[in-house]
Amino acid sequence: MNIAAAATKLTVNGEAMALRSPPATRLAEALRSELGLTGTKVGCDAGDCGACTVLLDGEQICACMVPVAQAAGREVTTVEGLARDGALSDLQAAFLRHGAAQCGICTPGMLMAARDLLDRNPTPTEQQAADALGGVLCRCTGYRKIVEAVLDVAGDRTCATMEAAAGAGAAVGARIARLDGAAKLTGDDVFGADFAPPDALTLRVVRSPIPRGRFETGDLDGFRAARPGIAAVLTAADIPGSNAFGVYPVGKDQPVLADGIVRYRGEAVLAVVGNAGAVAALRDEDMPVSWYEEAPVAGVAGASAEGAAIVQAGRDDNVLARGRVFKGDIERGFADADFVAEGEWRTSFVEHAYIEPEAGWARRNGDRLEIHVSTQSPYMDRDETAMILGIGQEQVRIVPTACGGGFGGKLDLSVQPLIALAAWSLGVPVRCTYSRPESMASSTKRHPASIRARAGCTADGRLTAYEFHGDFDSGAYASWGPTVADRVPVHATGPYVIPHVKNTSCAWLTNAPPSGAFRGFGVPQSAIANEALLDDLAGQCGVDPLAFRLRNAIRRGDETSSGQVLEHSAGLADCFEALQADWNRERAEAARIDRAGGPRRRGVGVAGMWYGCGNTSMSNPSTMKLGISADGQVTLYNGAMDMGQGPNTIMPQIAADALGVPVECIANVAGDTDRTADAGKSSASRQTFVSGRATQIAGEELRAKILRLANVGPAALLEIGNGRIVLRDGDAERTLDLRAMAPDGEGDVLAADGTFDPPTEPLDANGQGVPYATYGFGAHLAVIDIDIELGTIKVRRIVAAHDVGRAINPTLLEGQIHGGVAQGLGLALMEEYIPGRTENLHDYLIPTFGDIPPIDTILIEDPEPLGPYGAKGIGEQALIPTAPAIFNAVHHATGVRLRHAPATPHRVREALLAAQEAGHA
Ligand code: FES
Ligand code: FES
């Protein structure tokens, strides 16, 4: 064949190109693989996510849905074509200024959709912007800052937010732009699927099509030999170390490759390795595997039923973990109550739906293994991979790529042990990228919960008692199930003072995908019940719901249900008070609207939250290092993984102020286990609090070392660069010659470490103790419209007040709150993962532009003395009160209590009809 004749000629970013990919190749694939334009991302390969959006003759299209042939003779513009002469375009600069990119995986698609809009309509309205970008999904930002950025570049500069980074001592608290932001806007950031060595083989996982049963493999050697492009078919027998991993030392129960038994649909069974074409040509049905299906253990009801099959052989039952918090005398607490409210609630599996599927590559270097992967937990990846391969931890190096969203789902191993095993045994680089359905079928989920709870209060609205039991479907393997079982009983009362408490939880093993960590570890589920009961009690005693919460809000000096006295930061009451004016106004407006009657009702609800920062009653350390090279380059060795939430920016901000230099002086080395110390996992809202404090300590240590060397006082001003440090202390001036000092292994001549492990105490048998060193607090107000004939709910507005201790970077904090609200809205109204049925971003709905209302954020700063400059965490907090506030707003509008999340229209309609029949609505 004449290849030149077969090439597809087109223009890409202004340059004439000839694509040699077959004409039916997806344009996204050709741009990425053939032209190396990996700024165009692939989140689904099915036209659902918009991450691959490019311009074709100036109009936005999904490049995964357009064959190369269709681009012949036409002009393609990708994100790489936006910047000119190395400078960001106005649009890119606006995204940076507004914090419109968090993880950045959706950002190229967003930019291209926005470019299309602005070229056609330079002054769009907010609605036009939302409509034009509506085909691109973002899981991080809640879309608000993206719309702000588009309107900003269109000329409405009323909402511009970035501050210039100021000089020494001014970084903490400044709205500086994300320091790693530019690469997210140009397409230069390298995510898990964006690069592998040219000689890398491709790995594809064969997964179980059944939720429970046995399997037998046939002649795998013959299968491989018959297919020239296939290098290996790996099975459990090929694993040289332990074929069992898990986040808990005593809970390593999940095989890398199943060994004859499968426990959930989507479980990894075989790993096929070969050249990309040969691997892509395989179908699961071609594989010599015989399946023997057995009846699955379905849900908590199935797992707890009399005579239930045992999910994991060797256990007595299907109980994975139990938790409890008992305080006071629960009988007395209810005897003291004048009013009691109770109920039952259910929530569903929720999928993380990060737009970047799991991806990475590995290569062997002699007796060491190097893994480049999208992850939230590099050190845990390192240690578990070493255990699986039966080699030393120091033989494994994890080099994190940019991470396109995690939310807890990239804490557990995914591709890591598979590419490690293949690269280690074959001696060649191996890459793997999960498809969207594969990602959704195999990754961890939010635990579905079945909750029973009741609460009592006195006639004057003081809470006296709270009793709670939550059953959680933990799926087939432990993952983070024990964490949910521990954390929920501590938090289940909500952030309120209650003298008598009896909270219990149970995590059950079932034949479902493992439930794991997902922003909140079970607390968002328990908060739905908790905040509904508070509303019901407020109604019974005739107290305004916001006033009822303020009356019972936990404050400094109060005791939690686990017996911990809050010594310091406890800004919950401030959060509720910050909502008061909006509450009064919105409730009055709702009353006015509802007086008019008709099917559309307005409701206004409120909910509070609290959340312990860090692991529950466990050592939780982080170590950070700051060094200065002989040239005067200051480097932060930062092991706190940034999945979009911001450690690559806020840790340098903290380091800069601690050392006493402008933040621009700080270079950031992120997450490489050969170069950074263990900062622990990016989870449990711990990095700002724990690693931030470790960073502050490192900066202060390094500063103290420099001041000692120069023999100057603590107020001395530092100027670092050109091989020296100049110190000015009043009239005195000293100079340290850095080039005269001996470098360490990183080339730094001066360095200091900081380690921080927040003080906690174990919980006793009744759950009494100090599980967390500090807590974040918050309160949300939700305004909704509900159509009582259709069962549809439209969230009109959210006001979110959060006590963050100290706002290190308000723009990034607002972005976290917006993203949390969006995920909370999804939990409340639309997100439900059903194995085998909603394994794509078409059937599994996440909020889009049109679903997210205006969000007003209010930052409360009640400083935490242990935190860096007073700061606490925010990552999980912002999600927790959204769903309960929405459900309380529905109750306000209709008098009907929603008890099953997500409250899809059919469930809402059912609840309304049931209430009508019972005469309650
Ligand atoms: S990758 Fe093309 S729409 Fe998702
Ligand atoms: S910033 Fe949009 S998906 Fe992460």
Side-chain angles (χ1 to χ4, degrees):
M1 183 168 80
N2 182 341
I3 291 180
T8 303
K9 294 184 178 165
L10 71 173
T11 304
V12 180
N13 297 331
E15 275 186 56
M17 300 269 182
L19 288 175
R20 299 185 185 284
S21 302
T25 307
R26 296 170 191 266
L27 179 60
E29 168 67 14
L31 290 170
R32 289 174 57 83
S33 299
E34 190 176 337
L35 301 184
L37 295 173
T38 54
T40 298
K41 306 302 179 189
V42 174
C44 69
D45 235 4
D48 296 324
C49 75
C52 62
T53 300
V54 300
L55 303 186
L56 186 60
D57 289 342
E59 283 189 24
Q60 59 170 307
I61 52 122
C62 287
C64 74
M65 300 301 287
V66 170
V68 161
Q70 212 169 306
R74 302 174 74 181
E75 168 129 22
V76 175
T77 309
T78 71
V79 71
E80 289 90 346
L82 290 184
R84 284 280 175 260
D85 303 324
L88 296 181
S89 67
D90 284 355
L91 180 61
Q92 291 167 309
F95 266 56
L96 187 60
R97 200 161 52 240
H98 285 269
Q102 289 190 19
C103 80
I105 193 77
C106 73
T107 306
M110 288 289 180
L111 286 166
M112 301 319 294
R115 186 69 273 152
D116 174 26
L117 166 72
L118 294 168
D119 287 347
R120 287 182 289 106
N121 177 2
T123 55
T125 63
E126 180 171 334
Q127 186 60 51
Q128 287 168 331
D131 290 347
L133 275 65
V136 188
L137 295 177
C138 176
R139 192 55 160 167
C140 301
T141 63
Y143 303 105
R144 300 306 308 177
K145 288 186 179 292
I146 295 171
V147 172
E148 285 176 14
V150 173
L151 295 183
D152 183 349
V153 81
D156 172 10
R157 291 183 176 267
T158 54
C159 46
T161 56
M162 191 182 77
E163 293 168 6
V172 168
R175 289 179 178 273
I176 65 169
R178 189 178 290 276
L179 296 175
D180 58 357
K184 298 179 189 299
L185 298 158
T186 56
D188 288 342
D189 222 357
V190 179
F191 291 83
D194 287 344
F195 174 81
D199 59 338
L201 296 178
T202 296
L203 184 147
R204 175 182 182 281
V205 186
V206 178
R207 298 185 177 279
S208 171
I210 59 176
R212 173 182 166 87
R214 293 180 303 107
F215 68 92
E216 290 169 0
T217 52
D219 179 10
L220 295 176
D221 287 340
F223 175 86
R224 182 187 58 75
R227 290 164 177 79
I230 302 298
V233 181
L234 301 170
T235 71
D238 294 304
I239 294 172
S242 169
N243 186 22
F245 69 90
V247 294
Y248 281 87
V250 294
K252 297 199 181 299
D253 60 356
Q254 184 165 359
V256 176
L257 291 168
D259 193 359
I261 295 172
V262 287
R263 298 183 179 86
Y264 73 97
R265 188 183 170 283
E267 183 161 8
V269 170
L270 301 173
V272 184
V273 188
N275 70 48
V279 168
L282 287 178
R283 297 175 305 162
D284 281 0
E285 307 84 86
D286 300 333
M287 303 303 299
V289 185
S290 304
W291 302 97
Y292 306 97
E293 186 168 4
E294 297 166 12
V297 175
V300 168
S304 58
E306 188 76 25
I310 303 299
V311 173
Q312 290 192 12
R315 288 180 176 270
D316 295 334
D317 55 27
N318 290 316
V319 173
L320 171 66
R322 292 185 188 275
R324 56 156 49 180
V325 167
F326 291 176
K327 179 186 178 186
D329 176 348
I330 194 67
E331 302 305 330
R332 190 183 136 201
F334 280 107
D336 290 346
D338 296 301
F339 299 108
V340 173
E342 60 190 318
E344 297 187 4
W345 287 264
R346 285 177 62 197
T347 70
S348 308
F349 280 116
V350 182
E351 156 68 21
H352 296 89
Y354 25 74
I355 303 301
E356 181 204 29
E358 295 79 355
W361 62 276
R363 71 174 156 213
R364 183 172 184 164
N365 296 320
D367 67 350
R368 293 200 80 207
L369 186 73
E370 192 177 299
I371 303 174
H372 298 248
V373 70
S374 175
T375 180
Q376 293 178 237
S377 45
Y379 268 85
M380 196 166 76
D381 290 357
R382 183 197 73 162
D383 297 350
E384 292 222 277
T385 303
M387 177 192 71
I388 289 161
L389 294 185
I391 61 179
Q393 292 172 352
E394 70 288 349
Q395 288 177 265
V396 179
R397 177 185 188 183
I398 304 291
V399 187
T401 63
C403 180
F407 320 115
K410 288 177 183 166
L411 289 167
D412 296 62
L413 293 180
S414 58
V415 300
Q416 295 90 327
L418 297 164
I419 53 179
L421 173 65
W424 188 253
S425 56
L426 298 175
V428 292
V430 176
R431 73 187 305 174
C432 178
T433 301
Y434 284 180
S435 69
R436 175 57 57 181
E438 181 178 26
S439 169
M440 293 180 77
S442 65
S443 64
T444 60
K445 305 285 175 275
R446 181 183 296 288
H447 287 70
S450 307
I451 291 170
R452 293 190 312 277
R454 62 177 182 142
C457 72
T458 58
D460 66 347
R462 299 269 169 202
L463 290 164
T464 60
Y466 197 84
E467 186 171 15
F468 169 99
H469 179 74
D471 286 306
F472 293 86
D473 184 341
S474 218
Y477 298 107
S479 183
W480 296 85
T483 307
V484 169
D486 280 351
R487 188 176 274 269
V488 168
V490 174
H491 289 82
T493 56
Y496 306 105
V497 178
I498 308 179
H500 305 288
V501 174
K502 185 181 179 188
N503 293 341
T504 55
S505 64
C506 185
W508 295 89
L509 292 165
T510 69
N511 288 123
S515 297
F518 191 166
R519 227 170 172 178
F521 284 114
V523 180
Q525 296 95 305
S526 66
I528 290 173
N530 174 247
E531 291 290 337
L533 292 180
L534 258 71
D535 254 25
D536 289 348
L537 288 177
Q540 288 186 50
C541 51
V543 177
D544 170 84
L546 182 57
F548 187 88
R549 286 169 172 82
L550 266 166
R551 196 166 296 177
N552 291 284
I554 199 162
R555 298 162 195 258
R556 185 172 306 148
D558 286 336
E559 192 181 271
T560 69
S561 56
S562 73
Q564 177 179 359
V565 175
L566 298 183
E567 307 273 2
H568 300 293
S569 176
L572 175 66
D574 293 340
C575 294
F576 281 129
E577 282 164 2
L579 301 182
Q580 188 73 60
D582 284 304
W583 175 256
N584 296 344
R585 192 166 44 248
E586 295 287 5
R587 293 281 277 206
E589 175 67 1
R592 189 189 67 72
I593 290 171
D594 290 344
R595 270 196 298 276
R600 200 198 70 164
R601 305 278 170 83
R602 171 72 52 86
V604 183
V606 65
M609 63 74 53
W610 68 327
Y611 194 77
C613 298
N615 298 349
T616 309
S617 286
M618 280 199 281
S619 176
N620 189 19
S622 170
T623 297
M624 305 286 271
K625 180 184 158 192
L626 202 57
I628 303 174
S629 72
D631 287 341
Q633 174 61 58
V634 185
T635 302
L636 177 66
Y637 299 91
N638 175 1
M641 274 311 302
D642 194 325
M643 309 92 68
Q645 81 281 33
N648 286 343
T649 303
I650 63 166
M651 299 302 165
Q653 286 183 265
I654 293 166
D657 278 12
L659 181 59
V661 298
V663 70
E664 297 87 342
C665 294
I666 310 258
N668 186 57
V669 169
D672 180 335
T673 56
D674 271 12
R675 302 189 65 194
T676 65
D678 189 357
K681 300 169 280 291
S682 285
S683 71
S685 298
R686 60 179 293 284
Q687 290 296 20
T688 299
F689 175 51
V690 183
S691 292
R693 183 61 192 226
T695 301
Q696 184 181 357
I697 293 168
E700 290 172 349
E701 281 287 312
L702 184 55
R703 179 177 174 84
K705 191 182 271 191
I706 292 167
L707 299 186
R708 268 197 311 275
L709 277 174
N711 195 23
V712 295
L717 301 175
L718 273 58
E719 194 181 309
I720 306 176
N722 298 320
R724 58 187 196 159
I725 303 177
V726 178
L727 299 103
R728 295 188 181 84
D729 186 10
D731 292 338
E733 181 173 311
R734 303 259 201 295
T735 299
L736 295 178
D737 182 0
L738 296 170
R739 294 197 174 107
M741 300 180 189
D744 64 13
E746 284 286 355
D748 292 324
V749 295
L750 290 168
D753 290 340
T755 296
F756 179 59
D757 192 358
T760 61
E761 289 173 12
L763 298 176
D764 67 16
N766 284 328
Q768 298 296 293
V770 179
Y772 310 102
T774 192
Y775 295 79
F777 297 92
H780 286 191
L781 179 156
V783 183
I784 64 100
D785 283 344
I786 178 168
D787 186 315
I788 59 171
E789 289 176 353
L790 300 175
T792 51
I793 296 168
K794 174 73 182 166
V795 182
R796 295 181 58 84
R797 184 183 179 212
I798 297 283
V799 186
H802 284 273
D803 168 25
V804 298
R806 175 82 188 274
I808 303 289
N809 187 324
T811 300
L812 269 57
L813 271 167
E814 289 161 1
Q816 285 299 291
I817 292 171
H818 291 179
V821 165
Q823 292 187 354
L825 187 150
L827 167 70
L829 300 181
M830 65 185 74
E831 297 194 38
E832 182 165 17
Y833 175 80
I834 304 170
R837 283 177 47 196
T838 58
E839 289 171 354
N840 56 61
L841 293 174
H842 183 73
D843 296 309
Y844 185 87
L845 301 179
I846 66 171
T848 64
F849 273 96
D851 297 309
I852 304 300
I855 303 168
D856 296 340
T857 54
I858 303 170
L859 301 180
I860 304 291
E861 295 184 309
D862 186 351
E864 166 52 54
L866 288 170
Y869 300 99
K872 304 187 286 189
I874 187 64
E876 286 154 297
Q877 281 88 326
L879 184 149
I880 294 169
T882 310
I886 291 170
F887 284 4
N888 285 344
V890 171
H891 185 263
H892 176 233
T894 63
V896 172
R897 180 65 64 199
L898 300 176
R899 298 189 181 277
H900 193 163
T904 49
H906 79 276
R907 287 194 182 122
V908 174
R909 192 73 191 119
E910 273 173 21
L912 290 166
L913 288 173
Q916 246 171 24
E917 281 168 18
H920 294 151

